[in-house]
Structures are given as C-alpha cells and as structure tokens.
Amino acid sequence: MGRFLFRSVVSIMVTMVLVSILLFVLLDPRDGEVLVKILGIESTPEQRESLANQLALDTPIMQRYVDWVIGNDWRAERLIGKDLAIITDPRTGDQIWYVDDGDGRFLQYEVDENQMIVPLVRQEDGSYAKEEGLDLWQTDENGEKFFWGVDGKGRGALWDQSGATEFVTTQTGWQELAGAPVDYIPLRKGVLRGDAGLSWRTGRSIFNSVTERASRTFILAGLAFVVVMPLALVFGIIAGINEGRPLDRIISIVGLIGTSSPEFVSGLIMIFVFALTWKLFPTQSADLTGQGLQPKHYVLPVLTLTAVELGYVVRMTRASMVDVMKAPYIRTAIIKGMPYRRVVFRHALRNALMAPITIIMLHINYLVGGIVVVEAIFAYPGLGDYIFESAIFGDVYALAAAAMVTVIVAVLTRLFGDLAYTLLNPRIRFS
Amino acid sequence: MATEKSKAPTVWSNVRNYMSLVADSRIATIGLAMVSFWLVMGLLSFVWTPQDPNASIGIPNRGPQEGLILGTDRIGRDTLSRTMAGTQVILMKTRVPELSVGSYMFGAAAFAAVVLVLIALPWASDKRTRRKGILWLIAAMFFIPIANAISGATGLNDIMIPKYSIPMGVAIWGVLGSLTLGSTLGLIAGYRGGNWDQVIMQILDALIAFPRIVLYLVVITALGQGDLVMIFAIAVTGAPGVARLARSQALEIKQRDYIRAAETRGESIWYVMFREILPNAIGPLLVDAMLRVGYAVFTIGTLGFLGRGLPPPEPDWGNMINLARPSFAQAPLAVLVPAFAIVTLVVGLNLFADGLNEEITRYQK
C-alpha cells in the first residue's frame, strides 16, 4: 500500500511538471497578439514594446517559465540588494510588493524630473508619503548610473538616466509617462508558492481569483454530484436487472439522448422552459444585485449538468450490473431458491458497484469539463467561466493557472478512485 | 508458409468483416440510418439547398413560411439550408486557409517528424534494431529547424498558396489522427512493457488529466481558430484514450501463441505489432473511433457555441445556436433545428458503435 501511494505521488508530480511545461510552451504569447488585445487595435509599436517590457514578455521563455513556477522575487532581491515584502492593501485587498528598508519602513521608488530617486514610504492605510529625492544611483563598470528598486505599482524595476518613458493606463486611456524604468520584473512568488502573478485581463491576483472561483465551482460540482449519483445508481441498477425489457430500453435511450445533447443545448432548453416560459428561475446565475447567490441561481446549472452526466453514469452502472447478473454465482443463488430481492441486494450489488465507483471518480474530469460550458451559459462566476473568459482574452498565465487547478483535481480524484478500487476489491488488496 | 501468411487477417479485412456485422444488429442499423441521413444531407447540400445558406433572404426571426420551411435566423438566413450545409465542415470537407509555402514546409516537416518518431519508436524499443531507431529519432529532431531555416533563408514565407478544401471533415481527420498516434503508442507500451510502457503512459497521462474542453480551449487560444487547429486538437485530446485501449488490447493479445510463434520466426517488431496484434485489436478500436467521432461533433458544437469553434463563413451548428440564442423566445426553431442535428448525429454514432460492439463481442464469444 505504501509503495502504491509513493508511486502514485511520484507519478502525479511528474504529470504536473509535464502539464506545466506543456501549458507554458503552448500558451507562450510569441506573436504579441495579446498586446494588441490589451492596448487596442490602434496602438502603436512603441506602446506594444513598452507593454511587452512591463509584462517581461521580452525575456527568454526559459526564464519566464522559472519565474512562473518558483517566482522571481529572489532574483529581484539579489538585484535590489534588500529584502522584499508583500503587504495587503487594506483599501482594495490587493497584495503589493515593497522593499523592506530594515527599520520598519516599506518603500517603493520613483524618479523625479531632477533625476533624483524619490522613496515612497508606505503608510498604515495603504497610501504613501513622498520623501525628499535622494541620489541613490549606483554606477556600473561602464560608468553608467543605474538603480534597482520597486516602482509605484509594486514591480521590480531598473532605472537609468536615459529618460525612458512608459505607457500606463489611466482613466483617459493609455498615456506616456516620463521618468520610467528601462526594465521590469513583474514580481511574483510563483505557482509553487501560491502566486501566479497578476491577471492581464482583470489586474487582480490570479491566485486570489482562482481560489475564490474554484470554491464556487466546487459548490456547483458538489451539488451536481449529490443529485446525479444516487439517481444514476438507482436507474442503472433498475435498468441492469431488467436487461432487454422495455423499462431498460426506455432508461437507456433517455440516458443516451441526455448524454448526447451538449450542455449548451440542454442548458438553452432549460432556460427556455423554466426561465423564459414559466419564469421559475433566473436565466443568469451571476450575482447582479450584490446580495450573493441565492438557491434559485443554482437550480438550472445543476439541472443541466444532471441531464448530461446522468446518462453516462447510468450506462456504466447498468453495464456493470448486467455483467454481474450473468455471473455463475448469481445463477446459483437464484436456482438455490434465494429470494430475488436478496440476490440483487446482497450478492449482485456489492460487486456491481465496484466498477462504477472508480469510473465515477474518473468521471469528475468530465464533470469539470461540463462545468466550464455550463458556467459560460449561465454566467455563473466560477472557475470554468474564468477559464473561458481568460481564453477569449488571451490572458495566458491566468488560463494556465486555472487549467492547472483542473488538472490537479483530475489527478487527485483519479488517485482516490484507484485507492477506493483497491480498498473495495479484496482480490487486489491482498495480492 | 507463404500461402498461410496471405490468409492471415489484416487490419482492413477485419474492419470489413466487422462492418458486415452491422446489418445483423437492429441498434447498429438504426444508428447507421441516422448517420447516413446527415451524410446524405451534407452531400446534397454541395449541389442543392433550398436557399443560399449564406445569404439573408427572408425577414429575420420568422417561423416557417413559404420557401423557408424551418424559418429564418437573426439575419434572415434560411435555417434548413444552413443546417444542411452545417454537415459539411464536420464530416465532408476541411478548409485549408491561405498559407505561405514556408508554413507548408513547416507543416510537412512537423508531419514527417511525427511519422518518423512513430516509425522509429518501435525500432528503438527492440534490441536488434535499437541503433537504427535511435538514429532516426535523432534525425527527426532536425526536421523542423531545417525546414524553418530553408524557408527563412529563401523567402518562401512570402509566397502564398490560396485557400482550398480537402475531402473529409474535421471530425473524421481528427479521429484518424488520434487513432494513428494513439494506437502506435499504445501498442508499443502494451507489447514492449517495462520502461517503454511507463514513459509513454506517463506522458499520455499528462494529457488525459485535462478536462477535454479545457485542453481544446488551451490549444485554440494558443494556435488560433481554424479547421487545421481543430484537427490537431481532436487528435491530441483523443490520442491518450486510444492509446490506453490499444495498450490493454496489446497486453492481452501478446500472451497468445501466434505472437510467440511470430517472435520465434524472428519477425520484426513492426510485423508483430501491425500484422499480428493490431488486426486482432481493431474491433474495440473501431467501436471506440465511432464514439470518438461523436465526441468530436459534440465538442465542435460546444466550441462553436462558445464562439471558439470552426471559423465562418461556412455554417457550423454550434455557431448557429450561439447566433440564434438572444432571440430564442421569438424564433426557437433557429436554435432547435441545429441542436436537433447535433443530438441526432451524436446519438446515431453512439447507437452505431453500441450495436457494432454487441455484435463483435457476440462474434468473439
């Protein structure tokens, strides 16, 4: 057992490494299309170049992969020469990087028009106070002056005296600012340490968004699971013990039609019937009023998931039940004169449930896939919706992080499925 | 000896045998009829549709009327004609976009490299041919860089080849791709076992761990929308499943005496894998492939609905539903007809596969 667990954990880790490399290489924004998406179609090449620099897209892919996985704060700390600290802004809840001055002050920097470096000291309420400009410039071997610090947006930044400019978004659009750094390190701790950086689409921490939305998706998936499984097992068993009779045919065909209708078809039909015609439930599950999600918001998404998932699990349970009912020991029990009910419940059921339980665990993978579509239809603010929106926008790091979460869920449920199978099946447990 | 060899079943003779079983099964016949209905509709749409599928000819969002049997969509196009023509992109034709000669060279090099890897992997796994296999594997690594260098140096990237279509649809090509990739890898893993099995299945496990729709979204986000990208996505997402099935088949079949006999005769690993194991494993793979075409239709529909599917202007069922969705209450037919098309085609493929499966297993018992 210990050996099995060890092997599984190693295999999961290798899988995750492969998945992360695959995602990163595949999603690498090599043609800069995302820059056009962020800046708009009328942006100039200079604006795109500036943004690519600010997002560190101009560094080699290996470097970005390392940054993404284990973070780049340690690299920035070496360049700056001081410790960095991450502090939550009490006004917005965002996490912002500062240079830890060592004497209880947390600093960011900017360069003023006199080429002086101005420390911005963090105040208790999250705002900052400007101090006198100082000459903190360092000199490299060519005599050029440079300074590594953290800029006003919490990014690692390299200033020199070339008078570089940057493009920033303001309320009036994109503006060019003087006194900008020439190189940036978008600070993050890396996915391994629970920080995937900021989303390009929303500007918020990817990690916070993903955890918040994953918890909502978990609720939806859990509800669907609780509704689907008992129904599916009951119908599957009924169909299985009536193999070939009209009841079996009806259950199988209805299940097949349900499974063969894509989520968006059944979802739209549900909306049409329950939301537009009968006006029982809202068409959208988004929290529009700010009062939080009510139970009525969950009904249609769960029903849609049920329609699609039910047929599949019924099919598995039925097939397994049919197999078991053909086994010699069932025939023997029936011939022996044992009551039919007892044969089904005591002898057949235990053996028939083994296959569905492992397949159900594998099926969580499909459930998550279905949830992506259902959340997109009903605008349910979950992880699937986040994946979809990120994919549309081309927010590749957010997409990669969210996809990693779905993969982790998949490999862990598979592990649980294997464990359950091993525990339930004495033939494997004792071999 | 020679005559006996020529009598041995091949992949194709077995596929033909299994397909001749279809008529014996009522379920498979019903399924085949449903699939054939859409095949006929699709073929018919090449020569005749009631109206031009891409022209807005009627008043938008109207129900059935004279000349427009199933009504119109949001911009007044005929729902029936569009649903008929919607079969084309998934089952009948694949549109190759306007690409440069350089892109063709890249594609050819990537394709050749994959083929070479698939040929060389079994050789590399066999002691007698290991050196040859490894040499070929190393050679395959240089294909893409060489093609890129040539097209970059000679300016081939600027010569464009106009767009055209090739026969067979996206779903079919995609499933053929996953069958080729998956069955070769699965057969090596199952037949060779040991480290080969471990490494191949580990890599495929990484792919299988993705929820299917997430992997599609990732691939399409990375490579853009297009028929060829969709084929690639279907092939890559399907390959691990095919490989698992092929592996389990190979594990069972390799115990049989005729495999031992072939090995003793000194047959090459290729002969054993593709002439001895594959023909006997093709039944379940065939059934699985039918189901996979169904999944592919399902997923193309879903992606079309999400606005990430096959590109316009040719009608695509999922995209039709997406367009008609805001006016569902006024013109329900514009949503329901393409939805009916997807559901019946997928149900048909499922029934076909189920019926075939029943007959094959009965035949084997």
Side-chain angles (χ1 to χ4, degrees):
Chain A
M1 197 65 191
R3 213 183 121 92
F4 166 74
L5 263 180
F6 177 74
R7 283 181 58 130
S8 304
V9 170
V10 170
S11 160
I12 284 177
M13 271 155 45
V14 175
T15 303
M16 294 315 297
V17 171
L18 286 174
V19 164
S20 70
I21 293 176
L22 178 80
L23 279 171
F24 208 81
V25 172
L26 205 54
L27 288 174
D28 180 42
R30 48 189 96 65
D31 51 6
E33 207 175 302
V34 67
L35 300 174
V36 183
K37 278 238 177 75
I38 300 174
L39 287 165
I41 196 89
E42 286 157 7
S43 52
T44 61
E46 294 82 51
Q47 287 174 330
R48 290 177 200 167
E49 209 174 296
S50 166
L51 189 64
N53 189 9
Q54 290 178 47
L55 298 175
L57 292 181
D58 49 1
T59 50
I61 183 166
M62 276 302 295
Q63 169 101 66
R64 273 182 287 134
Y65 180 70
V66 172
D67 284 359
W68 187 65
V69 174
I70 55 173
N72 49 18
D73 51 336
W74 49 275
R75 198 156 58 85
E77 277 178 2
R78 265 215 314 260
L79 289 166
I80 295 170
K82 285 179 182 160
D83 284 347
L84 295 178
I86 186 163
I87 303 172
T88 307
D89 186 336
R91 295 169 301 181
T92 60
D94 292 340
Q95 294 189 310
I96 298 177
W97 288 91
Y98 292 91
V99 173
D100 187 349
D101 202 26
D103 54 3
R105 297 197 311 163
F106 296 101
L107 305 177
Q108 293 176 335
Y109 299 95
E110 66 179 35
V111 173
D112 66 8
E113 56 269 27
N114 306 325
Q115 296 286 7
M116 285 297 175
I117 291 161
V118 183
L120 311 173
V121 184
R122 183 185 185 275
Q123 306 295 304
E124 277 305 307
D125 62 352
S127 64
Y128 60 81
K130 276 194 191 184
E131 287 199 344
E132 284 287 300
L134 301 168
D135 185 12
L136 296 171
W137 295 103
Q138 292 168 292
T139 314
D140 68 4
E141 60 267 29
N142 298 330
E144 304 278 341
K145 292 201 167 177
F146 73 98
F147 178 70
W148 271 105
V150 173
D151 76 352
K153 285 186 175 164
R155 298 174 299 199
L158 167 68
W159 283 273
D160 64 12
Q161 297 189 330
S162 64
T165 58
E166 68 176 345
F167 288 87
V168 295
T169 176
T170 63
Q171 279 168 345
T172 54
W174 286 86
Q175 281 191 355
E176 196 168 1
L177 284 190
V182 289
D183 200 10
Y184 298 85
I185 301 176
L187 290 169
R188 62 175 76 122
K189 288 196 281 187
V191 282
L192 273 186
R193 289 150 69 202
D195 177 13
L198 298 178
S199 159
W200 299 342
R201 183 170 63 90
T202 61
R204 294 193 53 216
S205 156
I206 293 174
F207 183 77
N208 289 352
S209 300
V210 166
T211 45
E212 182 189 330
R213 278 157 170 269
S215 65
R216 290 209 202 99
T217 294
F218 187 72
I219 296 174
L220 189 57
L223 281 173
F225 197 79
V226 169
V227 174
V228 169
M229 288 313 153
L231 281 178
L233 293 180
V234 168
F235 281 127
I237 290 163
I238 292 176
I241 53 181
N242 291 303
E243 194 206 353
R245 299 204 193 122
L247 191 59
D248 169 38
R249 291 287 180 216
I250 291 170
I251 292 177
S252 300
I253 288 174
V254 171
L256 178 61
I257 292 175
T259 317
S260 305
S261 314
E263 292 86 357
F264 66 97
V265 170
S266 18
L268 286 181
I269 292 174
M270 303 268 179
I271 288 179
F272 186 60
V273 175
F274 294 110
L276 295 176
T277 312
W278 293 349
K279 303 204 187 305
L280 289 176
F281 307 107
T283 56
Q284 302 275 293
S285 304
D287 181 15
L288 298 174
T289 52
Q291 296 166 339
L293 291 173
Q294 320 274 315
K296 66 182 179 189
H297 287 119
Y298 291 99
V299 177
L300 291 186
V302 169
L303 270 183
T304 308
L305 282 171
T306 310
V308 178
E309 306 297 319
L310 191 60
Y312 184 85
V313 189
V314 165
R315 212 176 142 109
M316 290 301 148
T317 320
R318 175 188 173 275
S320 165
M321 197 70 194
V322 167
D323 263 5
V324 170
M325 290 304 283
K326 281 182 183 152
Y329 62 86
I330 297 294
R331 204 172 49 207
T332 312
I334 293 174
I335 295 170
K336 220 165 64 177
M338 196 178 269
Y340 188 63
R341 192 176 290 269
R342 203 175 145 92
V343 176
V344 170
F345 283 104
R346 290 290 301 274
H347 295 244
L349 210 53
R350 270 186 65 154
N351 290 295
L353 284 185
M354 217 127 70
I357 282 174
T358 51
I359 288 167
I360 284 165
M361 293 312 277
L362 281 178
H363 196 61
I364 286 184
N365 206 342
Y366 291 78
L367 189 67
V368 173
I371 282 176
V372 174
V373 184
V374 167
E375 288 183 358
I377 300 171
F378 292 98
Y380 181 82
L383 188 64
D385 187 54
Y386 191 72
I387 289 177
F388 175 60
E389 296 287 341
S390 303
I392 296 278
F393 189 85
D395 188 355
V396 293
Y397 292 144
L399 176 57
M404 289 284 281
V405 173
T406 64
V407 171
I408 291 171
V409 171
V411 290
L412 286 184
T413 49
R414 192 165 61 199
L415 175 64
F416 288 137
D418 288 350
L419 277 177
Y421 191 67
T422 321
L423 290 176
L424 284 173
N425 192 341
R427 272 168 296 186
I428 293 181
R429 202 188 331 152
F430 296 119
S431 70
Chain B
M1 193 70 196
T3 48
E4 266 175 31
K5 248 190 203 172
S6 63
K7 272 183 202 164
T10 62
V11 173
W12 285 116
S13 71
N14 270 351
V15 168
R16 275 201 307 276
N17 284 342
Y18 290 137
M19 293 313 256
S20 68
L21 293 173
V22 170
D24 298 345
S25 159
R26 206 172 49 184
I27 297 177
T29 316
I30 296 172
L32 184 61
M34 290 165 80
V35 176
S36 307
F37 173 76
W38 287 112
L39 286 177
V40 170
M41 283 290 163
L43 285 176
L44 182 63
S45 73
F46 279 105
V47 288
W48 177 82
T49 48
Q51 306 286 347
D52 180 355
N54 289 321
S56 52
I57 24 126
I59 304 159
N61 289 335
R62 281 298 169 87
Q65 51 190 289
E66 179 82 45
L68 304 164
I69 305 163
L70 295 174
T72 53
D73 70 359
R74 256 174 86 201
I75 41 180
R77 294 177 296 196
D78 180 28
T79 304
L80 175 63
S81 306
R82 286 181 69 72
T83 307
M84 282 170 71
T87 324
Q88 291 180 6
V89 279
I90 49 174
L91 294 178
M92 305 282 169
K93 66 168 185 184
T94 300
R95 296 159 295 169
V96 182
E98 186 183 11
L99 290 170
S100 68
V101 179
S103 310
Y104 274 90
M105 282 191 60
F106 175 82
F111 187 73
V114 170
V115 170
L116 208 60
V117 168
L118 289 185
I119 293 176
L121 270 182
W123 280 344
S125 74
D126 191 4
K127 248 187 214 130
R128 290 169 298 168
T129 48
R130 178 157 295 158
R131 184 173 299 172
K132 179 166 65 171
I134 289 173
L135 273 177
W136 281 53
L137 282 179
I138 294 171
M141 284 166 45
F142 291 101
F143 272 44
I144 294 177
I146 288 176
N148 275 346
I150 294 176
S151 57
T154 53
L156 288 175
N157 284 328
D158 303 328
I159 308 171
M160 303 302 277
I161 295 178
K163 61 177 180 179
Y164 58 92
S165 295
I166 53 174
M168 294 211 297
V170 171
I172 315 246
W173 279 116
V175 171
L176 283 179
S178 53
L179 267 184
T180 319
L181 263 175
S183 55
T184 311
L185 292 176
L187 286 180
I188 302 172
Y191 178 54
R192 271 295 151 212
N195 289 337
W196 287 93
D197 188 15
Q198 297 259 320
V199 172
I200 291 176
M201 292 325 280
Q202 182 72 64
I203 292 171
L204 293 177
D205 269 358
L207 279 176
I208 227 170
F210 281 97
R212 187 177 289 136
I213 199 83
V214 174
L215 190 49
Y216 275 93
L217 280 175
V218 165
V219 170
I220 290 172
T221 306
L223 303 178
Q225 281 167 271
D227 288 16
L228 299 180
V229 173
M230 188 66 89
I231 291 176
F232 176 76
I234 295 172
V236 170
T237 30
V242 178
R244 285 197 153 195
L245 187 60
R247 173 178 174 271
S248 67
Q249 292 283 313
L251 279 177
E252 191 203 318
I253 292 171
K254 79 172 180 188
Q255 317 264 345
R256 298 190 187 158
D257 286 341
Y258 54 78
I259 303 295
R260 199 86 40 80
E263 283 167 352
T264 318
R265 283 205 307 273
E267 301 286 6
S268 73
I269 179 166
W270 264 85
Y271 185 91
V272 176
M273 271 173 52
F274 290 96
R275 282 302 302 276
E276 302 283 1
I277 298 181
L278 188 60
N280 294 292
I282 197 69
L285 285 175
L286 191 66
V287 171
D288 183 62
M290 300 289 166
L291 291 174
R292 276 179 198 285
V293 176
Y295 294 147
V297 173
F298 189 104
T299 318
I300 294 171
T302 303
L303 288 165
F305 174 76
L306 295 176
R308 299 269 97 183
L310 300 174
E314 270 85 344
D316 161 54
W317 292 335
N319 200 16
M320 287 170 67
I321 296 175
N322 187 25
L323 274 180
R325 178 186 175 192
S327 43
F328 193 6
Q330 296 92 343
L333 275 181
V335 168
L336 294 178
V337 173
F340 176 78
I342 296 179
V343 176
T344 45
L345 183 53
V346 177
V347 168
L349 283 161
N350 268 289
L351 290 177
F352 188 39
D354 282 359
L356 199 60
N357 191 27
E358 258 173 38
E359 286 304 314
I360 290 174
T361 43
R362 182 178 306 160
Y363 181 68
Q364 280 169 348
K365 277 171 192 167

